[in-house]
Amino acid sequence: MAQVKNKLTPFFENLNFERDDNTMVINFGPQHPSAHGQLRLVLELDGEQVVKAYPDIGYLHRGIEKMAENMTYNEFLPTTDRLDYIASTSNNYAYALAVEKLLGIDKDIPRRAQVIRTMLLEVNRIISHLFFIATHALDVGAMSVFLYAFREREFGMDLMEDYCGARLTHSAVRIGGVPLDLPEGWLENLAAWCDKVDHETKHTYEALLTENRIWRMRLEDVGVISKEDALSWGCTGIMLRGSGVEYDIRKEEPYELYDELDFDIPVSDRCDSYGRYRLYMEEIYQSTKILRQLITMYKETGPELMAHAPKYISASKEQIMTENYALMQHFVLVTQGMRPPKGEVYVPTESPKGELGFYIKSEAEPYAYRLKCRAPSFFHTGLLQEILVGTYIADVVTIIGSTNIVFGEVDR
Amino acid sequence: MRKYTPKDNVQAKAYYTDRFWVSPRVPQSPVEEGTHFAKVVETLGAQCKEAYIVDGQLVVHIDATENFNVMKTLKEQCGYTQCSEQSAVDYLAQDGEFELFWQLLNIDEAKRIRVTTRIKQGEAIESIEKLYKSANFAERELFDMFGIKVNNHPFLKRILMPDDWEGHPLLKTYPLHGDEFASWYEVDKIFGKEYRDIIGPENRDPAMIDRYDTKRFSRIGYEVPFAADYTDEEQQPVEYSDTFLVDYNKPSKTLDERK
């Protein structure tokens, strides 16, 4: 029965009572604090049980793929910050790697740039995972974890700020390498931060949550995704490994230095939110392990930071200022933009959220003919319409938190 | 004469291209015998029109009508259990066609395949939602962004744009800052069509500078009160500014005295 708006009956814009079959339709979001951004979830409830869930997205749609068709390749790189803004270097990197594959220079990246990039990726992974545990715990009701996790995340963002000057939108990676060397004392700070993160994860977050009775009651057997569903719905990253599939792009299709590094891929066959929470915690330990190896690797590298590919990448500042030809090429690259070869590539990388891939179709023009960003959160949002059905409304928040979706990359 | 701008592709274009410049190509290698991909091509048989390898991934060209059967074969016989991505590329201006691609992943072998095909404008494709549920959202996005209809999709509806939107934003004919419809959409929606004259079209270009907009811009050499309307008035510039500032509001040259 439709509601009549008048003075006598209050009008609840978010509630719609369907009297016929006794279900209630509620709008969860788009401004709900635990909707992780701009998720509007239309839930049909029978009592407290979800009968039907319909995720409505697009509230943060900025047309980033359209912008990519109207920007030169270097211009577009800072825009990728706005995809998954929790860990923006992973987007920068995924895009830069895709363009490098297109140019065919992905094997020419200097060693030091590779080390720095891998470091930044792992720092971003830890930042993102700390953000996950903070907001997920807050959604479920554990307020103090949020405060502790944000403290360590803040130190991680300080590290990023020391390196590139930005805290959230880093743009710390360039096509062909990295713009800057590490500042003095950065490695010591990084090592100290790794120890701190390890210590805090073990003695604070895990101590607070892992055996916590309420936490386990809220997470165990909630948001169960079977292996078949996880594969079919396009789940990647921890959503996939939480369902017992051992697949990590860093291991299976290694890029950058991941084939030289020693780390494990934690897998859980619990298939529920608790298993995924454990995986996030375990991945933090693995990331600090990778970072410690990278600190020793950094010391054995030479000073080059950008690949030498004069057709596509500007020479160093010193060369531009001293050599005429380098200046001319720099001028052309800045005013016209690089023209990659004709063709298409799809390059997947393992971002903290899952498989972040860029499909780039180039028609040998300074502008990408088509750029498709394969965002993991987009597919994880699609999955919500299936796994929410049959759960209770109190668990909806847990499940959304557990999928770890970020709306910058869902809507793009 | 006004400069001719093509209407079938309104995206940014290079302003200069050397006449004799020949673009290189991303290297493609043939499928080698005895590899995993050779078996895939063999399994597909006649359904595969062309196959080559780019950047370690197999690219298979198929018939648009065959897409469901090809995916079924790939999923059930070749172990491609995940459809990572699908979308389209707009080649309407050049060929009157869309290029579609599906990006598939074999978890056990860590291999990726890109299945591509071409359809004419107005043609529909078959949904693969029954095989890969990830296609549910991906095909809705495909429909939303390109207007490509997908047959037998359970719920084909716009996903990122509003339901009552007109136009498909990723077409090459669609301008970056939106079309006529886009500039009136929010005015009509929030205030109503009758307010169009009062409010005016939405400025969808964040870099646009309106010199009569005194709410957001100042004028060099003039002191203009906030929100003052000076479209008709001839204002007196601040005195000291005359000596070194160019008056951009004055036309530099009068072409025809009689006008």
Side-chain angles (χ1 to χ4, degrees), chain A residues 154-171:
Chain A
E154 200 68 17
F155 294 139
M157 299 212 302
D158 284 347
L159 279 176
M160 287 310 296
E161 192 181 4
D162 285 347
Y163 176 65
C164 65
R167 298 165 61 73
L168 218 53
T169 50
H170 306 139
S171 306

Side-chain angles (χ1 to χ4, degrees), chain A residues 176-412:
Chain A
V178 287
L180 297 163
D181 203 353
L182 297 177
E184 210 168 306
W186 200 83
L187 287 176
E188 290 78 57
N189 291 344
L190 178 68
W193 184 65
C194 284
D195 294 341
K196 188 158 179 56
V197 166
D198 268 357
H199 181 267
E200 293 292 331
T201 310
K202 193 167 179 204
H203 293 102
T204 309
Y205 322 132
E206 287 220 276
L208 277 170
L209 295 175
T210 306
E211 293 306 324
N212 187 320
R213 197 153 51 93
I214 306 169
W215 181 254
R216 292 186 66 152
M217 278 166 71
R218 291 296 306 274
L219 263 68
E220 279 180 343
D221 301 322
V222 168
V224 176
I225 308 167
S226 69
K227 188 180 165 185
E228 288 70 37
D229 271 354
L231 287 169
S232 179
W233 279 100
C235 290
T236 46
I238 286 182
M239 293 288 280
L240 188 61
R241 295 193 286 277
S243 297
V245 183
E246 189 175 353
Y247 197 82
D248 188 314
I249 298 168
R250 292 179 293 172
K251 270 270 191 254
E252 307 291 333
E253 302 159 75
Y255 51 93
E256 217 59 85
L257 295 174
Y258 285 117
D259 47 351
E260 297 174 31
L261 293 161
D262 171 35
F263 63 104
D264 300 323
I265 301 301
V267 183
S268 162
D269 53 6
R270 290 185 62 102
C271 305
D272 62 355
S273 304
Y274 188 73
R276 291 193 285 275
Y277 150 74
R278 293 295 299 274
L279 291 187
Y280 277 102
M281 293 293 102
E282 198 54 46
E283 281 211 352
I284 291 180
Y285 296 129
Q286 295 302 326
S287 289
T288 53
K289 191 176 161 190
I290 295 175
L291 283 169
R292 288 202 187 88
Q293 296 169 44
L294 287 167
I295 290 173
T296 48
M297 279 163 111
Y298 175 83
K299 288 162 186 158
E300 295 147 15
T301 55
E304 292 96 60
L305 291 173
M306 290 290 277
H308 178 71
K311 253 163 63 184
Y312 305 119
I313 290 162
S314 293
S316 69
K317 178 104 179 173
E318 195 194 341
Q319 280 172 307
I320 291 173
M321 293 310 214
T322 52
E323 294 167 21
N324 200 5
Y325 195 72
L327 176 68
M328 283 156 64
Q329 255 169 344
H330 179 62
F331 179 79
V332 171
L333 285 173
V334 167
T335 52
Q336 296 185 21
M338 66 172 87
R339 290 167 198 254
K342 210 168 173 171
E344 56 180 16
V345 287
Y346 174 80
V347 181
T349 58
E350 183 81 18
S351 92
K353 311 279 184 298
E355 176 187 328
L356 177 66
F358 278 92
Y359 168 89
I360 302 180
K361 179 110 194 171
S362 155
E363 288 289 320
E365 281 181 359
Y367 306 94
Y369 193 78
R370 171 89 170 98
L371 182 140
K372 181 82 184 82
C373 167
R374 191 262 182 224
S377 298
F378 180 75
F379 294 96
H380 296 166
T381 314
L383 169 79
L384 287 177
Q385 56 193 304
E386 184 154 312
I387 57 169
L388 286 182
V389 173
T391 60
Y392 288 92
I393 183 122
D395 292 337
V396 168
V397 175
T398 312
I399 296 169
I400 295 173
S402 169
T403 51
N404 195 12
I405 45 181
V406 169
F407 269 76
E409 65 176 14
V410 175
D411 294 344
R412 297 182 300 272

Side-chain angles (χ1 to χ4, degrees), chain A residues 54-59 378 411, chain B residues 136-145 157-163:
Chain A
Y54 167 64
D56 185 8
I57 61 174
Y59 289 89
F378 180 75
D411 294 344
Chain B
N136 187 320
F137 260 34
E139 281 167 356
R140 279 178 66 188
E141 196 193 334
L142 179 71
F143 166 69
D144 191 0
M145 292 292 138
K157 186 171 167 289
R158 282 192 185 268
I159 186 164
L160 294 176
M161 305 304 286
D163 292 345

Side-chain angles (χ1 to χ4, degrees), chain B residues 36-81:
Chain B
H36 168 79
F37 287 143
K39 269 182 247 158
V40 171
V41 175
E42 202 179 308
T43 317
L44 285 177
Q47 288 172 325
C48 162
K49 281 157 61 185
E50 197 188 340
Y52 50 87
I53 290 173
V54 176
D55 184 31
Q57 299 176 10
L58 180 71
V59 182
V60 180
H61 290 250
I62 58 162
D63 252 347
T65 48
E66 292 277 312
N67 72 332
F68 187 86
N69 298 332
V70 169
M71 303 294 166
K72 198 169 175 176
T73 317
L74 287 172
K75 186 184 177 185
E76 286 164 7
Q77 295 177 32
C78 307
Y80 285 82
T81 44

Side-chain angles (χ1 to χ4, degrees), chain A residues 97-115:
Chain A
L97 183 69
V99 179
E100 283 157 13
K101 285 258 166 89
L102 190 64
L103 302 174
I105 59 167
D106 56 308
K107 298 276 180 290
D108 310 336
I109 311 300
R111 179 87 178 164
R112 178 166 286 186
Q114 284 188 319
V115 173

Side-chain angles (χ1 to χ4, degrees), chain B residues 100-116:
Chain B
L100 301 171
F101 69 89
W102 293 264
Q103 189 72 41
L104 305 180
L105 167 65
N106 183 337
I107 295 268
D108 303 323
E109 307 263 336
K111 296 279 185 211
R112 288 176 194 271
I113 283 189
R114 180 161 57 252
V115 180
T116 65

